[in-house]
Amino acid sequence: MAVDELQAIIQRCQILEEADFKGEDFNLFQVAGQKCLEDGYAAQLLEVIQNEKNKVIVKNMGWNLISPLVRCIFTYKQQDDKREHCLKILDQLAQLCNPKELLLGLLEQIEQTSGEQVCQTVLLLLQPLQTVLLKLQHKKAYSVGLSLAVIMNQLTPLPVPYTKEQIQEDKLGLCQCCHAVVHFAKPFVNEVVKNMEKSSEYNDVELKEELLKFCMKSLEYPLLTAQLEQLEGIEEHPFRRFATEIIDILWDIRELVPLVFLHRKGKSPDWENQEFVDIERKNSADSLACLSYLVFVQHFGIDHFPVIFGPSYLLQCNMTHIEVLLKRTEESVLSKGLDLFESCLLRMEDDSLLHQYLEFRDFINVPQDLVKVMTLCPMEHLRKKSLSILQLFIDKFDAEGKYTLFRCLLKTSNHAGVEGYIIKNIKDQIHLSLTKVCDSIWFTGHHLISLLDLVLLLPEGAETDLLQNSDRIMASLNLLRYLVIKDCESDNRTGVWAALAKIEQNFLKPLHVGLNMSKAHYEAEIKNTKENRREAHSSNTVCSVTVSGEKMPAMTTEMQLQVLHSALFTFDLIESVLARVEELIEVKIKAGMDDN
């Protein structure tokens, strides 16, 4: 019945001229063709389409069959003859239909899919889509760009497989799809290459720009979030292969080096909405950061670069990218930022990075971002790695650079643990200055005293939360103890003896007062807690405690007492080091007076 209806429509249209086809004819052809497919008459429909007499009809009306055809292909099993007939129909339509109309039909079909069918649909339609695009004479570059954009926009919402098991399973087919899309783009890359080889002044840049946009989009997704390390048991890592293919395209169209070193982004759309401009800028920054990671960490395409760039210049080129990556919170992206930073630093000799580099905004922002990773990142291995990279960054600077960086981090970190770590580094630099034949002017004398003004003080005087700032306070006391021991009052190379009165006023005296207040407060808390426990007649009573203005999680009375005693122990430790420092100062002053 369905075949008879189709034959009747075909016979009616065969006697008409192409210009005389009406909207009604298109609708009747689509309905009859769809019915043939749904009723299992794909073989008969294929015969109709292959009939030379129907060539004009198929050219004008065939594209309407794309949607029902794709549905039927997914309905039939892999080895079903009907499925094979449908695939042959699809191939015939790609050869015979009006390219412009079929292009829109194919893209519309890709846009309408979602979820698990996205990759299946893309893989199915890539070959006919490529065939259609290669036949286009006008607006080919625009059509290629539109096709790649539609495909990538459909793939982008899909989760990127990350673990070895997920990559091997490739549940949604994304890994397979990435490779297929590159194969789809290859003829157009070859066309650009061929045209560039013909003329050194290649003027037809539109197709090249569309391919560049595709590469930039691929760098942002899936490569930015993909796991790109070699995985045992996976012979050919799909995302590493995809990364290699994208790098090869960039090299072929002569955009790899400009992107890496000149940060060329291609032609951007002229958005009127500022929000769209910001999104475009962010996406471009993500793509360039990923490209630098691929080149300098994974060494994709590294052979294409001349070995003429110094390590300091490479670090400078990459600091913008490192900053972009460190501001992200995803483990896969954050780890790429840390790896890129580490890779750049390991190329450099210690003490070789000039302090003038700190005049660049990125050289100040990146260590601050690194501190945020150290203190806020929930993943311990990334926190530890960021700490080791911060030390690496410090080690690469010259003395003045270290000095400037220390000042900056002390003012901006807002974290007692980080401040304590920086103070320990200051102590190490002072030690090097005092033990070298030629001491550094930056960690002795008036420069050091200026730095100590930031170190040897309590942020809020006697009312400073000593428990919260204990790491910083202990590091400061240890530094002061070291200075008193190593630097005699008569030599005063560090200048600490001349500044002793100020240190006592701003640091030692307020610390004494603060310790007395804190110990009294916590001893009173312990007494109250014990009394409350006796009243409750049970040590398992759940209660709450507030420390540093923050309410702690519910805990038993015994747990609460343990916390309070731990705080007292910290205060005793600070007090003992403070007493030792004051004792050393007194001994040194007395010894100096005896010598005089």
Side-chain angles (χ1 to χ4, degrees):
M1 182 67 179
V3 177
D4 294 339
E5 288 179 13
L6 180 64
Q7 289 288 3
I9 296 162
I10 291 291
Q11 288 171 9
R12 187 160 74 88
C13 291
Q14 279 178 342
I15 61 175
L16 297 174
E17 294 293 327
E18 188 175 349
D20 295 332
F21 291 153
K22 298 177 182 178
E24 182 185 357
D25 299 323
F26 285 85
N27 292 334
L28 289 171
F29 179 83
Q30 181 182 5
V31 170
Q34 181 174 334
K35 200 167 182 187
C36 284
L37 289 168
E38 290 172 350
D39 291 351
Y41 297 115
Q44 289 82 346
L45 179 59
L46 178 60
E47 287 179 14
V48 170
I49 289 173
Q50 288 176 328
N51 191 329
E52 189 70 22
K53 294 178 183 178
N54 303 328
K55 193 173 180 180
V56 175
I57 300 170
V58 174
K59 175 189 172 185
N60 287 276
M61 303 184 189
W63 67 274
N64 281 310
L65 296 177
I66 291 295
S67 182
L69 192 59
V70 170
R71 282 201 303 272
C72 287
I73 290 172
F74 289 142
T75 301
Y76 298 128
K77 293 182 180 178
Q78 198 72 26
Q79 303 303 323
D80 197 317
D81 289 342
K82 292 175 183 176
R83 187 176 193 277
E84 290 301 315
H85 292 141
C86 289
L87 290 172
K88 287 179 181 178
I89 292 171
L90 183 61
D91 182 57
Q92 285 293 306
L93 293 178
Q95 300 295 335
L96 299 173
C97 287
N98 182 308
K100 182 180 176 182
E101 291 172 340
L102 185 59
L103 173 67
L104 295 175
L106 291 169
L107 294 181
E108 183 180 2
Q109 190 60 38
I110 292 173
E111 280 186 313
Q112 287 175 352
T113 59
S114 60
E116 294 183 3
Q117 282 204 328
V118 168
C119 287
Q120 295 177 40
T121 306
V122 169
L123 289 168
L124 175 67
L125 299 182
L126 276 178
Q127 185 57 55
L129 190 58
Q130 186 189 69
T131 303
V132 170
L133 288 168
L134 290 170
K135 289 167 65 177
L136 284 176
Q137 299 300 320
H138 303 290
K139 291 191 174 180
K140 179 190 271 189
Y142 170 79
S143 300
V144 170
L146 178 63
S147 302
L148 288 168
V150 167
I151 292 167
M152 294 306 292
N153 286 341
Q154 287 298 100
L155 295 180
T156 300
L158 301 179
V160 179
Y162 190 71
T163 65
K164 175 183 172 182
E165 292 73 21
Q166 289 171 344
I167 292 171
Q168 287 176 321
E169 182 186 9
D170 193 21
K171 185 177 179 181
L172 297 178
L174 181 63
C175 300
Q176 187 184 354
C177 218
C178 288
H179 179 61
V181 174
V182 171
H183 181 73
F184 164 81
K186 203 66 184 170
F188 311 110
V189 175
N190 292 339
E191 183 178 330
V192 170
V193 172
K194 188 177 177 182
N195 289 331
M196 286 193 298
E197 287 173 350
K198 283 182 182 177
S199 170
S200 57
E201 296 181 5
Y202 175 53
N203 296 319
D204 185 15
V205 297
E206 288 185 4
L207 184 55
K208 180 179 174 181
E209 286 288 347
E210 296 299 342
L211 292 169
L212 177 58
K213 288 177 189 175
F214 162 66
C215 290
M216 293 290 280
K217 180 64 179 177
S218 300
L219 290 166
E220 182 206 346
Y221 174 93
L223 292 176
L224 183 63
T225 54
Q227 160 65 272
L228 292 168
E229 299 293 337
Q230 280 285 13
L231 296 173
E232 189 178 344
I234 298 182
E235 188 173 336
E236 188 174 29
H237 193 309
F239 290 123
R240 288 180 67 85
R241 178 176 65 176
F242 184 56
T244 303
E245 291 166 335
I246 293 298
I247 294 287
D248 287 344
I249 292 175
L250 289 171
W251 174 253
D252 289 341
I253 64 175
R254 302 178 187 176
E255 288 294 340
L256 182 59
V257 175
L259 278 174
V260 172
F261 289 110
L262 304 179
H263 299 178
R264 167 172 152 47
K265 305 176 181 64
K267 185 179 178 182
S268 299
D270 296 323
W271 299 112
E272 292 182 4
N273 189 321
Q274 183 60 39
E275 185 179 349
F276 290 158
V277 174
D278 294 339
I279 292 171
E280 184 79 19
R281 188 182 296 117
K282 178 190 176 298
N283 291 345
S284 179
D286 288 342
S287 301
L288 291 172
C290 182
L291 178 60
S292 278
Y293 169 81
L294 294 177
V295 172
F296 294 109
V297 178
Q298 296 297 337
H299 302 138
F300 293 124
I302 195 71
D303 294 340
H304 297 312
F305 292 90
V307 190
I308 58 173
F309 302 111
S312 297
Y313 177 72
L314 289 178
L315 177 64
Q316 182 186 346
C317 285
N318 281 305
M319 284 301 265
T320 301
H321 307 316
I322 293 165
E323 183 180 3
V324 167
L325 296 172
L326 292 187
K327 288 190 184 302
R328 298 284 288 268
T329 55
E330 307 96 313
E331 179 184 4
S332 57
V333 183
L334 197 51
S335 61
K336 286 181 176 65
L338 294 173
D339 288 343
L340 180 57
F341 198 9
E342 183 179 45
S343 174
C344 292
L345 292 172
L346 289 175
R347 289 184 168 89
M348 306 181 67
E349 297 288 334
D350 285 355
D351 307 314
S352 65
L353 191 58
L354 300 177
H355 62 273
Q356 285 90 342
Y357 279 97
L358 287 169
E359 295 174 9
F360 295 110
R361 179 183 58 83
D362 299 329
F363 278 78
I364 293 296
N365 290 349
V366 166
Q368 291 177 4
D369 290 332
L370 206 56
V371 166
K372 289 176 183 174
V373 178
M374 288 163 48
T375 56
L376 301 175
C377 179
M379 288 155 280
E380 183 182 4
H381 69 285
L382 294 184
R383 292 200 304 272
K384 287 182 176 178
K385 183 163 187 173
S386 61
L387 178 61
S388 67
I389 292 173
L390 178 63
Q391 186 60 58
L392 205 57
F393 187 55
I394 291 169
D395 293 341
K396 301 307 171 186
F397 274 102
D398 59 18
E400 185 176 349
K402 289 183 176 74
Y403 177 89
T404 306
L405 187 60
F406 292 155
R407 292 188 69 92
C408 171
L409 291 174
L410 284 172
K411 288 179 178 180
T412 60
S413 68
N414 296 318
H415 188 280
V418 175
E419 290 164 0
Y421 187 79
I422 297 303
I423 292 167
K424 179 184 176 300
N425 265 274
I426 293 171
K427 175 174 166 285
D428 293 341
Q429 292 305 312
I430 295 169
H431 178 72
L432 287 173
S433 295
L434 293 178
T435 52
K436 282 181 181 177
V437 176
C438 181
D439 60 355
S440 167
I441 62 168
W442 295 99
F443 292 97
T444 55
H446 71 277
H447 286 300
L448 176 59
I449 293 303
S450 175
L451 188 58
L452 291 180
D453 287 342
L454 297 174
V455 173
L456 301 177
L457 87 164
L458 295 179
E460 297 170 31
E463 295 180 0
T464 299
D465 187 330
L466 302 187
L467 197 60
Q468 189 172 329
N469 287 275
S470 59
D471 287 343
R472 175 200 168 103
I473 292 167
M474 286 297 292
S476 300
L477 286 170
N478 283 325
L479 171 58
L480 183 55
R481 178 172 59 179
Y482 171 83
L483 292 172
V484 171
I485 291 171
K486 284 290 182 181
D487 193 15
C488 297
E489 188 178 5
S490 55
D491 295 337
N492 198 24
R493 291 169 63 191
T494 62
V496 70
W497 293 101
L500 197 56
K502 183 167 63 173
I503 293 169
E504 286 181 345
Q505 185 66 33
N506 294 340
F507 183 55
L508 300 180
K509 286 181 180 178
L511 183 55
H512 266 297
V513 176
L515 281 168
N516 291 335
M517 290 167 58
S518 298
K519 288 178 73 175
H521 171 72
Y522 277 84
E523 284 167 355
E525 283 289 328
I526 290 172
K527 183 179 177 183
N528 291 337
T529 304
K530 287 179 178 178
E531 288 176 357
N532 292 338
R533 181 176 63 179
R534 280 196 296 270
E535 290 175 7
H537 300 294
S538 171
S539 61
N540 293 323
T541 303
V542 176
C543 54
S544 63
V545 62
T546 300
V547 177
S548 303
E550 294 183 12
K551 193 171 184 179
M552 297 181 68
M555 58 176 70
T556 64
T557 307
E558 289 301 330
M559 292 166 64
Q560 186 182 2
L561 284 169
Q562 195 174 359
V563 169
L564 294 170
H565 279 295
S566 176
L568 274 181
F569 176 77
T570 301
F571 299 144
D572 288 339
L573 191 62
I574 293 173
E575 194 169 39
S576 67
V577 179
L578 175 58
R580 177 60 180 153
V581 168
E582 291 180 327
E583 181 186 341
L584 286 168
I585 291 172
E586 188 178 339
V587 168
K588 279 290 184 94
I589 291 174
K590 186 177 180 182
M593 291 172 64
D594 290 345
D595 290 342
N596 289 334

